[in-house]
Amino acid sequence: VIADPPTLTDALARGWWPVARAGDLDTPVTATLLDRSLAVFRTDDGRAFVTEDVCPHRGASLSRGTVVEGALQCPYHGWQWDGSTGACLQIPALGSDGAIPPAARLRTYPAVEYLGVVWTCLSDDPLDGFPHADVPKPGDFADFRVGTIDFETNVLVAVENFRDVAHLYFVHGESINPSSPEVERLEPKRDGRVISLERRVEIDGTDGFYFDSATVMSYRAFVPHCASVVITEENSDNACALFSFVSPLSLASTRVFIVTAATPGFQGTVDDMLAKELQIFAEDKAILDHIRPASLADEVGHQVHTVADAYSLAYRKAFFDWLEEAR
Ligand code: FES
Ligand SMILES: [Fe+2]
């Protein structure tokens, strides 16, 4: 056992995790993070907020409420809550001069919008700032789309899969169609929380690497929550990028936010890319949902590694280093 589940959850709570798509906030939405129910909403001035989803009055789900005059109104008795301070602004049943009980306070969390996603941290003591300088930036990618998919496995397995080269031939024969199962010598580089890897891929026109000619795939992962790959067409400035942000719904389930992005010269569209990535992730899901153990709290036990696992292993090491620091 790595740790008692509460300790492990406390450590993970010191990370920043994605909880909602920024484009989904026309009305409040509910989110789950480390088994906690959250309400995510946007007020009329455009600001996003993350709060506890459970109303302190009688436990109604606040994400089923509405945004009224810059506050979140509970659907049950209409109490209005300030999304930044958690103060109760109004109790309609008491009339306009009714006294608000001091205990009427809603727990709130920070909300940061980045790359089309709302991020939060459940701890008062985040391990890193956000967005951290080393998290991949939108850069030249003017256009992007965000999709989500859920897995019945933990965040480490989900990111390792995105860093795993040897599975492409077997799991993504339909969508990516690599020409050989053989993996070249991988040389991942570690710099603190960043683990990167460059691969040059020959394209024969029948595979699904987004370009018709040779490409360079620049993989980059940032622990604990981000994996990305920038795919650049050789001898051109055309590039597209995939970001995979993981969020621990619990110790044994994960929501992945997939962001597809492209430079203006990219031959495809970010919508087509997202549809394809969702297909690729669905292929992964058939495997990942059945990997044992599913929970981060359970001992992995003995696993056999080879040089073809070098990148996912480097990520695993960095993730456990982060977790150690977060404890
Ligand atoms: S339960 Fe929310 S106002 Fe009563
Ligand atoms: Fe995969």
Side-chain angles (χ1 to χ4, degrees):
V1 172
I2 295 163
D4 292 339
T7 312
L8 191 51
T9 298
D10 289 346
L12 289 168
R14 296 187 65 196
W16 287 85
W17 304 102
V19 286
R21 297 196 297 179
D24 283 345
L25 302 182
D26 289 343
T27 56
V29 299
T30 184
T32 302
L33 180 57
L34 292 168
D35 292 312
R36 195 174 290 247
S37 293
L38 304 173
V40 187
F41 63 98
R42 191 189 295 289
T43 49
D44 297 341
D45 61 1
R47 288 195 299 160
F49 296 94
V50 177
T51 71
E52 202 80 17
D53 193 33
V54 182
C55 181
H57 179 220
R58 285 294 178 272
S61 170
L62 289 171
S63 58
R64 305 179 79 87
T66 46
V67 172
V68 174
E69 290 168 15
L72 181 57
Q73 184 174 59
C74 180
Y76 200 3
H77 311 94
W79 294 23
Q80 289 179 12
W81 301 96
D82 183 307
S84 60
T85 65
C88 181
L89 304 175
Q90 213 192 331
I91 298 178
L94 300 183
S96 53
D97 51 359
I100 311 275
R105 190 158 286 272
L106 179 67
R107 176 111 194 237
T108 62
Y109 303 97
V112 178
E113 286 187 59
Y114 191 69
L115 269 173
V117 178
V118 179
W119 300 72
T120 196
C121 179
L122 297 179
S123 167
D124 295 331
D125 185 23
L127 192 56
D128 299 302
F130 188 85
H132 191 280
D134 290 324
V135 170
K137 290 166 191 60
D140 299 329
F141 303 107
D143 205 9
F144 56 89
R145 289 291 177 277
V146 188
T148 64
I149 183 169
D150 292 356
F151 293 95
E152 297 304 316
T153 192
N154 65 74
V155 283
L156 176 60
V157 168
V159 180
E160 280 188 13
N161 167 255
F162 201 64
R163 307 292 77 176
D164 182 297
V165 179
H167 84 290
L168 300 175
Y169 183 86
F170 292 95
V171 178
H172 304 303
E174 285 284 314
S175 55
I176 299 178
N177 192 23
S179 48
S180 160
E182 220 172 298
V183 174
E184 78 277 15
R185 190 67 162 215
L186 303 176
E187 289 177 356
K189 294 194 172 46
R190 164 102 184 258
D191 180 10
R193 303 223 195 289
V194 180
I195 315 94
S196 47
L197 175 77
E198 295 271 313
R199 297 186 72 205
R200 188 178 176 284
V201 180
E202 291 292 344
I203 305 290
D204 69 4
T206 64
D207 38 31
F209 279 111
Y210 289 114
F211 291 103
D212 296 332
S213 53
T215 61
V216 176
M217 322 231 339
S218 304
Y219 289 87
R220 209 171 138 82
F222 178 85
V223 287
H225 52 225
C226 173
S228 70
V229 53
V230 175
I231 305 167
T232 310
E233 191 176 31
E234 225 166 44
N235 308 316
S236 98
D237 292 332
N238 297 334
C240 61
L242 310 165
F243 300 91
S244 152
F245 302 129
V246 293
S247 191
L249 302 173
S250 71
L251 293 181
S253 55
T254 300
R255 177 160 297 166
V256 179
F257 290 78
I258 307 158
V259 181
T260 58
T263 56
F266 178 60
Q267 57 193 235
T269 71
V270 288
D271 287 313
D272 288 347
M273 276 182 78
L274 182 59
K276 180 171 186 128
E277 288 307 311
L278 287 170
Q279 182 198 343
I280 290 173
F281 276 83
E283 291 165 353
D284 287 316
K285 186 173 167 64
I287 302 292
L288 300 194
D289 282 3
H290 305 281
I291 282 185
R292 296 294 175 261
S295 172
L296 207 49
D298 292 335
E299 181 89 59
V300 168
H302 185 67
Q303 292 188 337
V304 184
H305 314 300
T306 78
V307 288
D309 303 313
Y311 192 27
S312 37
L313 265 187
Y315 182 84
R316 184 181 293 195
K317 170 82 173 69
F319 181 85
F320 281 119
D321 287 349
W322 182 91
L323 212 50
E324 201 53 47
E325 249 186 88
R327 280 207 167 133

